Amino acid sequence: MPVPRRFLPPLSMLTAFEAVARLGSVTEAAAELDLTQGAVSRQISKLEEHLGVALFVRQRKRLILTSAGTAYATEIRDAISRIANATVRLQSNPEGGTLELALLPAFGTHWLAPRLPAFLSAHPGIAVNLATRMAPFDFAQDRFHAAIHFGSDDWAGTGSMHLMNEDVVPVFSPNLADPKTLKAGDIARLPLLHLETRPKSWARWFARHDVAAPSQAGMGFDQFATMLKAASFGIGVALMPRYLVDQDLREGKLATLANTEMTNSGAYFLVWPESHADYPPLQAFRAWLTTQI
Protein backbone atom coordinates (compact mmCIF):
# COMPACT_ATOMS: atom_id res chain seq x y z
CA MET A 1 0.00 0.00 0.00
CA PRO A 2 1.48 3.42 -0.97
CA VAL A 3 2.47 5.71 1.89
CA PRO A 4 0.19 8.80 2.05
CA ARG A 5 1.86 11.85 0.53
CA ARG A 6 1.32 13.91 3.68
CA PHE A 7 4.17 11.93 5.25
CA LEU A 8 6.57 12.95 2.47
CA PRO A 9 8.72 16.00 3.35
CA PRO A 10 9.42 18.54 0.60
CA LEU A 11 12.47 17.68 -1.50
CA SER A 12 14.09 21.03 -0.61
CA MET A 13 14.21 19.97 3.06
CA LEU A 14 15.61 16.56 2.19
CA THR A 15 18.35 17.84 -0.10
CA ALA A 16 19.45 20.39 2.51
CA PHE A 17 19.54 17.70 5.21
CA GLU A 18 21.43 15.21 3.00
CA ALA A 19 24.03 17.80 2.02
CA VAL A 20 24.73 18.84 5.63
CA ALA A 21 24.82 15.21 6.78
CA ARG A 22 27.26 14.29 4.01
CA LEU A 23 29.50 17.34 4.20
CA GLY A 24 29.30 17.90 7.94
CA SER A 25 29.00 21.64 7.42
CA VAL A 26 26.13 24.07 6.86
CA THR A 27 28.54 26.42 5.10
CA GLU A 28 29.71 23.78 2.60
CA ALA A 29 26.15 22.54 2.07
CA ALA A 30 24.96 26.09 1.35
CA ALA A 31 27.74 26.55 -1.21
CA GLU A 32 26.90 23.26 -2.91
CA LEU A 33 23.17 24.03 -3.05
CA ASP A 34 23.68 27.70 -3.96
CA LEU A 35 21.72 28.83 -0.89
CA THR A 36 22.50 31.00 2.10
CA GLN A 37 23.54 29.37 5.37
CA GLY A 38 20.38 30.69 6.97
CA ALA A 39 18.21 29.09 4.28
CA VAL A 40 19.87 25.71 4.80
CA SER A 41 19.49 25.94 8.58
CA ARG A 42 15.80 26.82 8.21
CA GLN A 43 15.19 23.85 5.91
CA ILE A 44 16.72 21.48 8.47
CA SER A 45 14.69 23.00 11.30
CA LYS A 46 11.50 22.63 9.25
CA LEU A 47 12.38 19.01 8.46
CA GLU A 48 12.90 18.20 12.16
CA GLU A 49 9.60 19.88 12.95
CA HIS A 50 7.88 17.91 10.16
CA LEU A 51 9.32 14.61 11.42
CA GLY A 52 9.07 15.34 15.11
CA VAL A 53 12.58 13.91 15.50
CA ALA A 54 15.91 15.61 16.26
CA LEU A 55 18.30 14.89 13.40
CA PHE A 56 21.25 16.91 14.72
CA VAL A 57 22.70 17.84 18.07
CA ARG A 58 23.72 21.50 18.05
CA GLN A 59 27.03 22.23 19.72
CA ARG A 60 27.96 25.90 19.39
CA LYS A 61 28.23 26.34 15.60
CA ARG A 62 28.46 22.64 14.80
CA LEU A 63 25.72 20.21 13.81
CA ILE A 64 26.34 16.58 14.83
CA LEU A 65 24.08 13.83 13.52
CA THR A 66 22.02 11.95 16.07
CA SER A 67 21.73 8.16 15.69
CA ALA A 68 18.28 8.68 14.15
CA GLY A 69 19.71 11.30 11.80
CA THR A 70 22.51 8.97 10.71
CA ALA A 71 20.08 6.19 9.81
CA TYR A 72 17.72 8.60 8.03
CA ALA A 73 20.58 10.18 6.06
CA THR A 74 21.62 6.77 4.69
CA GLU A 75 18.18 6.08 3.27
CA ILE A 76 17.57 9.62 2.02
CA ARG A 77 20.95 9.67 0.26
CA ASP A 78 20.06 6.51 -1.64
CA ALA A 79 16.64 7.90 -2.61
CA ILE A 80 18.09 11.20 -3.83
CA SER A 81 20.74 9.35 -5.84
CA ARG A 82 18.05 7.26 -7.50
CA ILE A 83 16.05 10.38 -8.39
CA ALA A 84 19.18 12.06 -9.81
CA ASN A 85 20.15 8.98 -11.83
CA ALA A 86 16.62 8.60 -13.18
CA THR A 87 16.66 12.24 -14.25
CA VAL A 88 20.01 11.87 -16.05
CA ARG A 89 18.80 8.72 -17.83
CA LEU A 90 15.60 10.44 -18.93
CA GLN A 91 17.42 13.51 -20.21
CA SER A 92 20.02 11.46 -22.09
CA ASN A 93 17.50 9.00 -23.54
CA PRO A 94 13.97 10.48 -23.43
CA GLU A 95 12.55 7.94 -25.89
CA GLY A 96 13.88 4.83 -24.16
CA GLY A 97 15.25 3.88 -20.80
CA THR A 98 17.44 1.28 -19.14
CA LEU A 99 16.39 -2.26 -18.27
CA GLU A 100 18.37 -3.81 -15.42
CA LEU A 101 17.98 -7.57 -15.78
CA ALA A 102 19.27 -10.39 -13.55
CA LEU A 103 19.54 -13.79 -15.18
CA LEU A 104 21.06 -17.24 -14.91
CA PRO A 105 24.44 -17.59 -16.68
CA ALA A 106 23.64 -20.59 -18.88
CA PHE A 107 20.23 -19.29 -19.93
CA GLY A 108 21.68 -15.84 -20.60
CA THR A 109 24.61 -17.13 -22.65
CA HIS A 110 22.89 -19.81 -24.72
CA TRP A 111 19.27 -18.67 -25.05
CA LEU A 112 18.92 -14.94 -24.45
CA ALA A 113 22.19 -13.55 -25.84
CA PRO A 114 21.70 -14.85 -29.42
CA ARG A 115 18.20 -13.33 -29.50
CA LEU A 116 18.92 -10.05 -27.72
CA PRO A 117 20.17 -8.15 -30.81
CA ALA A 118 16.67 -8.46 -32.28
CA PHE A 119 15.17 -6.79 -29.22
CA LEU A 120 17.73 -3.99 -29.25
CA SER A 121 17.17 -3.45 -32.96
CA ALA A 122 13.41 -3.19 -32.44
CA HIS A 123 13.86 -0.85 -29.45
CA PRO A 124 16.94 1.29 -30.18
CA GLY A 125 16.20 3.68 -27.31
CA ILE A 126 16.38 0.97 -24.64
CA ALA A 127 19.65 -0.03 -23.03
CA VAL A 128 19.85 -3.44 -21.35
CA ASN A 129 22.25 -4.17 -18.49
CA LEU A 130 22.71 -7.84 -17.58
CA ALA A 131 24.03 -9.38 -14.39
CA THR A 132 24.06 -13.01 -13.30
CA ARG A 133 22.37 -14.20 -10.13
CA MET A 134 22.22 -17.87 -9.13
CA ALA A 135 19.40 -17.58 -6.57
CA PRO A 136 16.37 -15.37 -5.82
CA PHE A 137 17.15 -12.06 -4.11
CA ASP A 138 15.28 -9.15 -2.56
CA PHE A 139 14.18 -6.75 -5.29
CA ALA A 140 13.79 -4.04 -2.64
CA GLN A 141 17.51 -4.23 -1.88
CA ASP A 142 18.78 -4.49 -5.45
CA ARG A 143 18.63 -2.39 -8.60
CA PHE A 144 16.99 -4.86 -10.97
CA HIS A 145 13.75 -4.24 -12.83
CA ALA A 146 13.29 -7.97 -13.51
CA ALA A 147 14.98 -11.36 -13.31
CA ILE A 148 14.94 -14.59 -15.29
CA HIS A 149 14.81 -17.37 -12.74
CA PHE A 150 14.47 -21.16 -12.67
CA GLY A 151 12.14 -23.04 -10.37
CA SER A 152 8.49 -22.44 -9.64
CA ASP A 153 6.22 -19.42 -9.78
CA ASP A 154 6.58 -18.60 -6.07
CA TRP A 155 8.70 -15.42 -5.84
CA ALA A 156 6.88 -13.27 -3.28
CA GLY A 157 5.70 -9.79 -4.26
CA THR A 158 6.26 -10.21 -7.98
CA GLY A 159 4.48 -10.59 -11.27
CA SER A 160 5.66 -13.42 -13.50
CA MET A 161 5.68 -14.77 -17.01
CA HIS A 162 6.34 -18.42 -17.89
CA LEU A 163 9.09 -18.66 -20.49
CA MET A 164 9.73 -22.36 -21.05
CA ASN A 165 10.07 -25.71 -19.35
CA GLU A 166 13.55 -27.11 -18.85
CA ASP A 167 13.60 -30.46 -20.66
CA VAL A 168 16.77 -32.41 -19.92
CA VAL A 169 18.58 -35.30 -21.61
CA PRO A 170 21.60 -37.34 -20.48
CA VAL A 171 24.72 -36.47 -22.47
CA PHE A 172 28.21 -37.96 -22.47
CA SER A 173 31.34 -38.22 -24.55
CA PRO A 174 31.17 -40.83 -27.35
CA ASN A 175 34.47 -42.09 -25.90
CA LEU A 176 32.74 -42.95 -22.59
CA ALA A 177 30.06 -45.28 -23.98
CA ASP A 178 28.51 -46.40 -27.26
CA PRO A 179 25.22 -44.51 -27.68
CA LYS A 180 23.95 -47.13 -30.15
CA THR A 181 23.89 -49.91 -27.56
CA LEU A 182 23.55 -47.95 -24.31
CA LYS A 183 20.22 -48.33 -22.48
CA ALA A 184 18.66 -46.30 -19.68
CA GLY A 185 19.61 -48.98 -17.15
CA ASP A 186 23.25 -48.77 -18.23
CA ILE A 187 23.40 -45.10 -17.26
CA ALA A 188 23.13 -46.05 -13.57
CA ARG A 189 26.46 -47.87 -13.85
CA LEU A 190 28.32 -44.89 -15.31
CA PRO A 191 29.78 -41.94 -13.34
CA LEU A 192 27.03 -39.34 -12.86
CA LEU A 193 27.58 -35.59 -12.80
CA HIS A 194 25.33 -33.52 -10.54
CA LEU A 195 24.32 -29.84 -10.52
CA GLU A 196 23.96 -28.24 -7.09
CA THR A 197 20.81 -26.35 -8.08
CA ARG A 198 19.13 -29.48 -9.50
CA PRO A 199 19.67 -32.04 -6.69
CA LYS A 200 16.70 -34.24 -7.68
CA SER A 201 17.17 -34.26 -11.46
CA TRP A 202 18.77 -37.69 -11.70
CA ALA A 203 16.23 -39.25 -9.32
CA ARG A 204 13.40 -37.92 -11.53
CA TRP A 205 15.11 -39.15 -14.69
CA PHE A 206 15.64 -42.69 -13.39
CA ALA A 207 12.07 -42.82 -12.06
CA ARG A 208 10.77 -41.68 -15.46
CA HIS A 209 12.64 -44.60 -17.08
CA ASP A 210 11.71 -47.17 -14.40
CA VAL A 211 15.32 -47.62 -13.35
CA ALA A 212 16.56 -47.80 -9.75
CA ALA A 213 18.71 -44.77 -9.04
CA PRO A 214 22.28 -45.59 -7.89
CA SER A 215 23.08 -44.83 -4.27
CA GLN A 216 26.63 -43.64 -4.78
CA ALA A 217 27.34 -39.92 -5.00
CA GLY A 218 28.90 -38.40 -8.10
CA MET A 219 30.91 -35.32 -8.93
CA GLY A 220 29.10 -32.04 -8.22
CA PHE A 221 29.14 -28.73 -10.09
CA ASP A 222 27.70 -25.26 -9.47
CA GLN A 223 27.13 -24.33 -13.12
CA PHE A 224 26.02 -26.05 -16.32
CA ALA A 225 29.05 -24.80 -18.26
CA THR A 226 31.64 -26.61 -16.16
CA MET A 227 29.50 -29.75 -15.91
CA LEU A 228 29.08 -29.81 -19.68
CA LYS A 229 32.83 -29.48 -20.17
CA ALA A 230 33.42 -32.38 -17.79
CA ALA A 231 30.94 -34.52 -19.73
CA SER A 232 32.65 -33.68 -23.03
CA PHE A 233 35.98 -34.86 -21.55
CA GLY A 234 34.49 -38.23 -20.67
CA ILE A 235 34.37 -37.72 -16.90
CA GLY A 236 30.75 -38.81 -16.64
CA VAL A 237 27.14 -38.39 -17.77
CA ALA A 238 25.38 -35.06 -17.28
CA LEU A 239 21.69 -34.21 -17.39
CA MET A 240 21.58 -31.09 -19.54
CA PRO A 241 18.80 -28.83 -20.86
CA ARG A 242 18.19 -29.68 -24.48
CA TYR A 243 18.66 -26.09 -25.65
CA LEU A 244 22.21 -26.12 -24.27
CA VAL A 245 23.40 -29.27 -26.04
CA ASP A 246 21.51 -29.46 -29.35
CA GLN A 247 24.45 -28.18 -31.39
CA ASP A 248 27.02 -30.44 -29.69
CA LEU A 249 24.73 -33.43 -30.27
CA ARG A 250 24.31 -32.56 -33.95
CA GLU A 251 28.07 -32.18 -34.38
CA GLY A 252 28.82 -35.46 -32.61
CA LYS A 253 30.83 -33.83 -29.81
CA LEU A 254 28.35 -35.31 -27.33
CA ALA A 255 26.05 -38.32 -27.46
CA THR A 256 22.79 -39.33 -25.81
CA LEU A 257 20.64 -42.44 -25.70
CA ALA A 258 19.20 -43.45 -29.05
CA ASN A 259 15.57 -43.33 -27.93
CA THR A 260 15.70 -41.32 -24.74
CA GLU A 261 12.74 -39.25 -23.57
CA MET A 262 13.27 -35.75 -22.30
CA THR A 263 12.41 -35.17 -18.64
CA ASN A 264 10.93 -31.94 -17.34
CA SER A 265 13.06 -30.66 -14.44
CA GLY A 266 11.31 -27.32 -13.88
CA ALA A 267 10.64 -24.07 -15.69
CA TYR A 268 12.09 -20.65 -16.40
CA PHE A 269 10.17 -17.51 -15.46
CA LEU A 270 10.59 -13.80 -16.00
CA VAL A 271 9.70 -12.16 -12.68
CA TRP A 272 9.47 -8.49 -11.75
CA PRO A 273 8.50 -6.51 -8.63
CA GLU A 274 4.90 -5.35 -8.77
CA SER A 275 6.09 -1.75 -8.44
CA HIS A 276 7.89 -2.03 -11.82
CA ALA A 277 5.09 -3.74 -13.73
CA ASP A 278 4.31 -0.63 -15.82
CA TYR A 279 7.92 0.43 -16.44
CA PRO A 280 8.03 0.99 -20.24
CA PRO A 281 11.32 -0.85 -21.01
CA LEU A 282 10.08 -3.85 -19.02
CA GLN A 283 6.72 -3.77 -20.80
CA ALA A 284 8.55 -3.76 -24.15
CA PHE A 285 10.79 -6.63 -23.05
CA ARG A 286 7.83 -8.74 -21.91
CA ALA A 287 6.00 -8.15 -25.17
CA TRP A 288 9.11 -9.12 -27.15
CA LEU A 289 9.62 -12.29 -25.11
CA THR A 290 6.15 -13.51 -26.04
CA THR A 291 7.28 -13.53 -29.68
CA GLN A 292 10.36 -15.60 -28.82
CA ILE A 293 8.91 -18.38 -26.70
Side-chain angles (χ1 to χ4, degrees):
M1 179 181 296
V3 176
R5 294 298 177 89
R6 67 177 181 274
F7 292 112
L8 180 64
L11 187 59
S12 57
M13 296 182 190
L14 297 176
T15 54
F17 164 67
E18 188 280 330
V20 174
R22 173 168 42 84
L23 298 172
S25 166
V26 172
T27 301
E28 292 184 31
E32 179 180 283
L33 299 172
D34 196 23
L35 297 171
T36 65
Q37 294 180 42
V40 172
S41 295
R42 285 191 295 274
Q43 293 288 0
I44 291 174
S45 295
K46 290 179 181 179
L47 179 60
E48 290 178 317
E49 181 181 350
H50 179 92
L51 298 173
V53 176
L55 301 173
F56 293 95
V57 175
R58 290 157 176 80
Q59 294 183 354
R60 297 183 181 180
K61 294 184 178 180
R62 296 180 60 202
L63 292 181
I64 301 174
L65 280 167
T66 63
S67 58
T70 299
Y72 192 53
T74 300
E75 296 197 54
I76 292 303
R77 185 172 300 119
D78 179 65
I80 291 176
S81 294
R82 292 178 63 183
I83 293 171
N85 291 335
T87 302
V88 170
R89 288 194 296 268
L90 177 63
Q91 291 176 328
S92 62
N93 189 10
E95 301 302 322
T98 299
L99 179 64
E100 301 285 351
L101 182 65
L103 73 171
L104 300 165
F107 189 91
T109 300
H110 295 274
W111 192 89
L112 181 61
R115 294 167 171 80
L116 200 54
F119 172 75
L120 297 175
S121 177
H123 303 277
I126 297 177
V128 179
N129 294 330
L130 305 177
T132 57
R133 291 292 186 276
M134 300 294 290
F137 52 87
D138 186 354
F139 274 109
Q141 300 299 320
D142 224 320
R143 69 182 188 277
F144 297 109
H145 299 112
I148 293 177
H149 117 99
F150 173 85
S152 55
D153 188 12
D154 59 357
W155 197 323
T158 67
S160 67
M161 173 182 174
H162 177 268
L163 299 180
M164 67 173 68
N165 292 333
E166 183 180 84
D167 296 320
V168 296
V169 292
V171 297
F172 49 89
S173 167
N175 297 324
L176 181 68
D178 184 356
K180 296 179 181 179
T181 60
L182 197 68
K183 305 297 182 184
D186 300 325
I187 295 289
R189 294 186 288 274
L190 294 174
L192 303 181
L193 309 181
H194 299 265
L195 194 70
E196 292 177 2
T197 56
R198 311 287 195 278
K200 298 181 180 179
S201 287
W202 273 118
R204 293 194 189 100
W205 189 86
F206 283 119
R208 181 72 177 81
H209 292 80
D210 297 320
V211 174
S215 58
Q216 71 271 21
M219 186 178 294
F221 299 84
D222 66 347
Q223 293 193 33
F224 277 126
T226 49
M227 187 168 71
L228 181 60
K229 187 64 69 175
S232 68
F233 287 151
I235 294 175
V237 186
L239 272 179
M240 296 292 299
R242 188 75 195 215
Y243 73 87
L244 289 179
V245 296
D246 269 339
Q247 183 172 345
D248 286 341
L249 289 172
R250 286 195 300 269
E251 295 175 354
K253 296 177 181 178
L254 290 170
T256 189
L257 299 182
N259 297 305
T260 187
E261 295 183 25
M262 290 188 291
T263 304
N264 188 325
S265 63
Y268 293 95
F269 293 88
L270 178 73
V271 295
W272 58 89
E274 294 171 348
S275 59
H276 290 161
D278 297 327
Y279 181 53
L282 177 57
Q283 288 181 317
F285 188 65
R286 290 200 307 262
W288 173 77
L289 278 176
T290 62
T291 71
Q292 302 299 306
I293 59 178

